[in-house]
Amino acid sequence: MFPARYTVFVLCILFAAISFVLMFAVSGHFFWPFLVFAALAVTGFLDLRQNAHAVLRNYPVTGHFRYLFESIRPELRQYFFESNQDGKPFSRERRSMVYDRAKNIEDVLPFGTELDVYESTYSWVNHSVCPKPVSHEDLRVTIGGPECKQPYSASLFNISAMSFGALSGNAILALNKGAKAGNFFHDTGEGSVSRYHREGGGDLVWELGSGYFGCRAKDGTFDPDKFKSQAANPQIKMIEIKMSQGAKPGHGGVLPGPKVTQEIADARGVPMGQDCVSPSHHSAFSTPVELLEFIRTLRELSGGKPVGFKLCLGHRWEFMAILKAMLKTGIKPDFIVVDGSEGGTGAAPIEFANRLGTPLRQGLSFVHNCLVGAGLRDDIKIGASGKLISAFDIAGTICLGADWVNSARGFMFAVGCIQSQSCHTNRCPTGVATQDLKRQQALVVPDKAERVTNFHTNTLDALIEFTAAAGLDHPRDFKPEHFYLREGQREILPASVALTWVQKGALLDEAHNIPGYSTYWDMAVAESFEPARSVASAKALHGHHGHH
């Protein structure tokens, strides 16, 4: 019996034959349908003979529609089927909020919230019956510890790390010009300082990854002379050592040689056309003490600029080992940026993006608590990043211990990103995440730079109003007791009760017994990131059975 799945293929052959006859018998205009149907018939023959795709062998010609619809599936979903609360990782409602603020359009919500306020993950900040007058105080935080000679006054909301190479030159230029106009900083990402950063003139945080781009020796190690020369640039306000990032913690990377253009090579200090390797670990240090000595070296070489590190929290004893090294050596970073595992990247292995690293809420509160418990919090500022784009995101993050917030994808939306999720293909439809010169020409720098500034300004304006409605004078006054979340299906608790909060200096008390902290503290040593003892041994040491 003739398989129905071959019907279209057979019809293509039949119509090609009929068109061929009519082309000579009736009119030469039948050449065009002949050409179409002949091409489809040839495609069907090739489908039957190929071995790579079972669908095409079973469904010659028609099987191609499956791949066509699959290729445009994100666009179909986003434009035709996505509700305001659908869309991952950012819903349409949250994206629209950024677009409206970037365009200076009133970002109001009609007819009430569409969120399920009884959902287990719903969180909120309570308001006051005595709201404060809206303050116009500049929302800034001073970063720089006792050893810092050039402290920096940073905005509470800044551009998180995104490298030139991952983003186009036009996108970097628009971001930096926007940061310049709005008086906030732009983190370079580990791709170092490009000509687009310098041309924009905005404040920079120079991120040093494991590839040491911008201060890299020929063998890929850290070059102090190159670092000193670049760090002297007055546009560079702070130095950030990238220990790990939320979307792919513990993972290195390779930029293939063909993608290493002359501009990328110049920015990173690598040969053009050769593979550009970012190892999964740093070569400048291998122990907590060496990390802090490296921080001291960078601070000295930069003339006393603030130096810190960024990490997505992993093994808890490793972070505590860094704290013990601070106590032992007396060397402290000026800041720590906590990146949540919900953070984004251009490309990451699925397991790394979905199942590795600590989410921001848990990672941030742990880092804050550890610094408080070790008596170090007063000298070290904390930044936070990971899907933070709204005034509530900023306020809630400050409630859990942050001093300021960085946003990457929020500012990507501001320069035109439509969440097509094609960052890794070099075919970004808006010219944001591509090195294709034609595609990035679509991104008009003056227009997008203004939108970056608008987004920053309007988000902080919303934060000011949100703060006043909560009865507070300044966002720094947000505390855990202002942030509410659900514990299970019944209890509604403020973060001050739902989460553990460590008292100042508590970890220095030999008799401390803090669930989730004391066990890991007993495992940590300043001389190594490896645990000094097992979890069981550490628990037995204090005779407690806390959560960990």
Side-chain angles (χ1 to χ4, degrees):
M1 190 172 180
F2 178 76
R5 63 181 183 271
Y6 289 163
T7 300
V8 173
F9 172 46
V10 172
L11 287 174
C12 289
I13 298 173
L14 179 62
F15 287 143
I18 293 173
S19 300
F20 182 77
V21 173
L22 293 176
M23 181 174 60
F24 292 101
V26 179
S27 169
H29 291 298
F30 280 99
F31 169 77
W32 300 110
F34 165 72
L35 188 64
V36 171
F37 288 118
L40 291 174
V42 171
T43 298
F45 278 115
L46 295 176
D47 290 341
L48 290 172
R49 295 180 63 84
Q50 58 83 37
N51 298 316
H53 302 286
V55 169
L56 296 182
R57 285 174 64 85
N58 277 330
Y59 298 89
V61 182
T62 53
H64 287 278
F65 285 98
R66 184 254 187 193
Y67 299 104
L68 171 65
F69 292 137
E70 186 178 57
S71 68
I72 62 174
R73 176 174 171 267
E75 288 79 8
L76 290 173
R77 184 176 65 245
Q78 186 176 105
Y79 296 133
F80 297 105
F81 307 113
E82 186 178 279
S83 75
N84 284 344
Q85 300 308 322
D86 289 337
K88 300 291 183 181
F90 290 86
S91 69
R92 178 185 290 272
E93 180 181 276
R94 282 166 64 79
R95 298 197 310 271
S96 296
M97 177 196 69
V98 177
Y99 298 146
D100 289 348
R101 288 179 177 170
K103 296 174 185 177
N104 257 341
I105 299 173
E106 189 176 29
D107 57 322
V108 295
L109 189 68
F111 221 66
T113 182
E114 293 183 7
L115 298 176
D116 181 358
V117 298
Y118 298 103
E119 187 182 20
S120 60
T121 58
Y122 183 76
S123 56
W124 69 95
V125 169
N126 275 347
H127 67 285
S128 171
V129 296
C130 299
K132 292 292 180 73
V134 174
S135 168
H136 296 285
E137 181 181 352
D138 204 11
L139 303 186
R140 307 192 73 80
V141 57
T142 300
I143 305 170
E147 304 302 317
C148 177
K149 297 178 182 178
Q150 300 185 53
Y152 174 62
S153 176
S155 169
L156 294 189
F157 191 45
N158 304 280
I159 302 173
S160 196
M162 295 179 285
S163 300
F164 169 57
L167 299 193
S168 68
N170 277 5
I172 293 292
L173 183 56
L175 288 169
N176 199 260
K177 282 181 174 290
K180 171 73 171 177
N183 194 23
F184 55 101
F185 76 66
H186 179 190
D187 192 312
T188 66
E190 66 175 316
S192 190
V193 182
S194 69
R195 72 177 182 89
Y196 301 102
H197 292 98
R198 292 190 293 272
E199 183 180 340
D203 290 352
L204 295 175
V205 173
W206 181 14
E207 183 179 86
L208 288 189
S210 56
Y212 305 113
F213 301 127
C215 55
R216 177 184 174 102
K218 289 185 178 180
D219 61 357
T221 58
F222 174 72
D223 186 318
D225 293 330
K226 288 182 180 179
F227 173 84
K228 183 176 181 180
S229 175
Q230 175 129 285
N233 184 342
Q235 198 177 343
I236 296 174
K237 303 300 183 182
M238 301 198 297
I239 314 297
E240 176 185 279
I241 302 168
K242 175 188 167 184
M243 303 281 285
S244 59
Q245 71 178 92
K248 48 181 179 181
H251 192 277
V254 177
L255 187 63
K259 292 186 177 181
V260 182
T261 64
Q262 187 61 59
E263 287 186 323
I264 292 175
D266 291 343
R268 300 194 179 201
V270 298
M272 185 184 75
Q274 295 185 20
D275 290 349
C276 183
V277 180
S278 299
S280 59
H281 60 281
H282 280 263
S283 59
F285 57 87
S286 58
T287 69
V289 170
E290 290 177 355
L291 166 62
L292 296 177
E293 290 173 344
F294 186 54
I295 288 174
R296 180 171 59 187
T297 297
L298 296 184
R299 190 183 288 130
E300 292 172 352
L301 290 173
S302 66
K305 293 182 178 180
V307 179
F309 61 88
K310 178 181 83 173
L311 85 168
C312 175
L313 184 67
H315 296 311
R316 293 188 167 197
W317 63 80
E318 292 179 345
F319 182 75
M320 287 180 159
I322 297 173
L323 300 191
K324 286 191 172 182
M326 294 181 199
L327 296 171
K328 179 177 180 178
T329 63
I331 306 169
K332 290 172 283 190
D334 297 290
F335 65 90
I336 297 171
V337 176
V338 183
D339 197 11
S341 61
E342 60 269 52
T345 184
I350 292 175
E351 295 85 355
F352 280 72
N354 288 345
R355 300 294 180 181
L356 203 63
T358 305
L360 179 60
R361 185 181 295 174
Q362 289 74 24
L364 174 60
S365 60
F366 181 82
V367 167
H368 168 76
N369 272 327
C370 287
L371 289 171
V372 171
L376 298 165
R377 184 65 176 89
D378 292 343
D379 293 334
I380 301 173
K381 293 295 191 291
I382 298 179
S385 56
K387 290 186 74 175
L388 306 174
I389 63 173
S390 72
F392 170 72
D393 294 338
I394 299 172
T397 305
I398 292 174
C399 284
L400 299 181
D403 293 297
W404 86 87
V405 160
N406 295 335
S407 177
R409 287 169 290 182
F411 284 100
M412 285 180 68
F413 292 143
V415 294
C417 170
I418 60 172
Q419 195 171 280
S420 69
Q421 300 186 28
S422 55
C423 309
H424 60 298
T425 66
N426 206 36
R427 295 192 299 271
C428 173
T430 58
V432 177
T434 179
Q435 295 305 305
D436 185 306
L437 294 177
K438 290 292 184 182
R439 286 178 178 268
Q440 62 177 287
Q441 284 176 0
L443 196 158
V444 180
V445 172
D447 174 61
K448 301 305 184 186
E450 183 179 359
R451 294 189 184 191
V452 168
T453 305
N454 290 341
F455 172 53
H456 175 267
T457 300
N458 290 326
T459 301
L460 288 189
D461 285 347
L463 177 62
I464 290 171
E465 294 188 3
F466 196 80
T467 302
L472 304 175
D473 293 313
H474 192 278
R476 74 170 73 92
D477 299 327
F478 278 111
K479 297 293 186 288
E481 54 266 28
H482 297 118
F483 185 74
Y484 280 76
L485 47 84
R486 295 190 185 279
E487 279 291 293
Q489 296 301 314
R490 298 180 61 184
E491 291 192 78
I492 299 171
L493 300 173
S496 56
V497 177
L499 305 176
T500 299
W501 298 99
V502 178
Q503 297 299 311
K504 186 173 182 178
L507 291 173
L508 304 181
D509 184 346
E510 291 186 4
H512 65 77
N513 186 352
I514 309 168
Y517 290 83
S518 294
T519 295
Y520 297 111
W521 184 261
D522 292 334
M523 296 169 66
V525 291
E527 293 76 21
S528 176
F529 287 113
E530 295 292 329
R533 52 180 62 88
S534 67
V535 172
S537 298
K539 287 173 64 177
L541 188 67
H542 274 271
H544 71 273
H545 297 276
H547 301 293
H548 36 264

